[in-house]
DNA sequence: GCAATGATTTACT
DNA sequence: GTAAATCATTGCC
């Protein structure tokens, strides 16, 4: 997952829900693996919530955080190798008006799409989409390669992970304004 | 059954 | 910088 996560930066992610297509370029991600304590499936812990992380890459892992925000993750490993990438920010491309409406905003600002809860809201991601498949059900990822420079640093909000919280597993586009918590990235 | 808590955001001070 | 919002999941009784 630590190899795939940075490669997702620059790729286009889109959803088509009730005929409305919204898309954006991925600008910030974090990697999570069963090998470290920041991951819900640490040590291959299999619970109802984590079960989709054990599926083959291309599966969505969506869960609710703080009772409020869905988090969108892309599962990356082979079966029974629980790893996933959290999509932390996008730069909207298609359906910007729809994305702003879902966010409850009427002014376009980079900060409205920088943060994992904001991304999920803008793309219309709901927890019931947990387990859907990329490029098959509502959500599409266009494979591509970016040549733009990246910056990286520790992940956000996982202090409970001890030393694993220090892993530099958050990546972002160095030239983009669509990045949350730029502090800590080099 | 029940209490604790979180891969966050937002609105305050 | 601090705190509230808000509930599914988890772990323990």
């Amino acid at each position: 997952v630590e190899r795939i996560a940075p490669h997702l930066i620059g790729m286009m992610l889109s959803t088509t829900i009730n005929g409305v297509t919204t898309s954006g370029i991925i600008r910030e991600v974090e990697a999570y693996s069963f090998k470290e304590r920041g991951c819900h499936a640490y040590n291959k812990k299999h619970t109802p919530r984590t079960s989709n992380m054990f599926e083959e890459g291309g599966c969505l892992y969506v869960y609710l955080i703080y009772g409020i925000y869905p988090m969108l993750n892309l599962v990356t490993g082979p079966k029974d190798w629980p790893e996933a990438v959290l999509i932390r920010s996008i730069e909207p491309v298609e359906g910007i008006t729809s994305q702003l409406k879902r966010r409850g905003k009427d002014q376009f600002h980079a900060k409205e799409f920088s943060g994992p809860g904001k991304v999920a809201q803008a793309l219309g991601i709901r927890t019931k989409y947990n387990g859907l498949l990329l490029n098959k059900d509502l959500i599409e990822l266009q494979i591509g390669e970016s040549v733009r420079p990246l910056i990286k640093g520790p992940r956000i909000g996982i202090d409970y992970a001890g030393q694993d919280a220090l892993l530099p597993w958050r990546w972002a586009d160095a030239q983009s304004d669509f990045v949350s918590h730029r502090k800590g990235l080099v």
Side-chain angles (χ1 to χ4, degrees):
Chain A
V1 70
E2 63 269 42
R3 178 177 63 83
I4 292 175
H7 280 288
L8 291 177
I9 309 272
M11 290 192 196
M12 185 78 71
L13 192 62
S14 66
T15 58
T16 302
I17 300 164
N18 295 328
V20 176
T21 296
T22 47
S23 71
I25 302 166
I26 298 171
R27 294 304 193 197
E28 180 188 350
V29 299
E30 282 177 359
Y32 287 87
S33 168
F34 66 93
K35 298 173 185 173
E36 46 83 20
R37 298 187 119 82
C39 184
H40 293 154
Y42 172 58
N43 209 16
K44 296 202 178 184
K45 185 174 72 172
H46 204 305
T47 68
R49 179 173 66 163
T50 63
S51 74
N52 283 321
M53 288 186 85
F54 288 76
E55 293 302 315
E56 253 188 68
C59 189
L60 261 51
Y61 171 45
V62 182
Y63 69 94
L64 196 67
I65 189 65
Y66 296 106
I68 308 174
Y69 301 100
M71 300 278 101
L72 171 61
N73 295 259
L74 309 182
V75 175
T76 59
K79 197 159 174 52
D80 296 322
W81 192 262
E83 295 184 326
V85 177
L86 173 69
I87 307 300
R88 288 194 58 94
S89 78
I90 59 167
E91 178 171 345
V93 175
E94 273 178 279
I96 293 180
T97 305
S98 299
Q99 297 192 46
L100 282 171
K101 191 175 174 185
R102 285 175 181 149
R103 292 275 303 117
K105 308 287 173 183
D106 42 35
Q107 288 268 24
F108 183 95
H109 286 305
K111 64 179 180 183
E112 300 304 341
F113 303 93
S114 306
K118 299 174 184 177
V119 169
Q121 195 174 33
L123 293 180
I125 301 296
R126 321 252 242 113
T127 53
K128 66 180 180 182
Y129 298 165
N130 189 22
L132 294 191
L133 300 181
L134 265 187
N135 297 356
K136 201 168 181 183
D137 303 309
L138 304 179
I139 183 161
E140 183 174 321
L141 179 71
Q142 287 182 31
I143 305 299
E145 187 147 9
S146 171
V147 292
R148 290 157 61 117
L150 300 182
I151 45 182
K152 65 178 178 180
R155 294 168 294 174
I156 300 294
I158 54 164
D159 294 345
Y160 57 81
Q163 289 292 80
D164 291 334
L166 302 177
L167 287 169
W169 278 15
R170 181 163 70 107
W171 290 266
D173 185 311
Q175 302 172 344
S176 178
D177 291 330
F178 294 78
V179 176
S180 68
H181 298 95
R182 179 170 299 261
K183 187 179 146 199
L185 297 177
V186 181

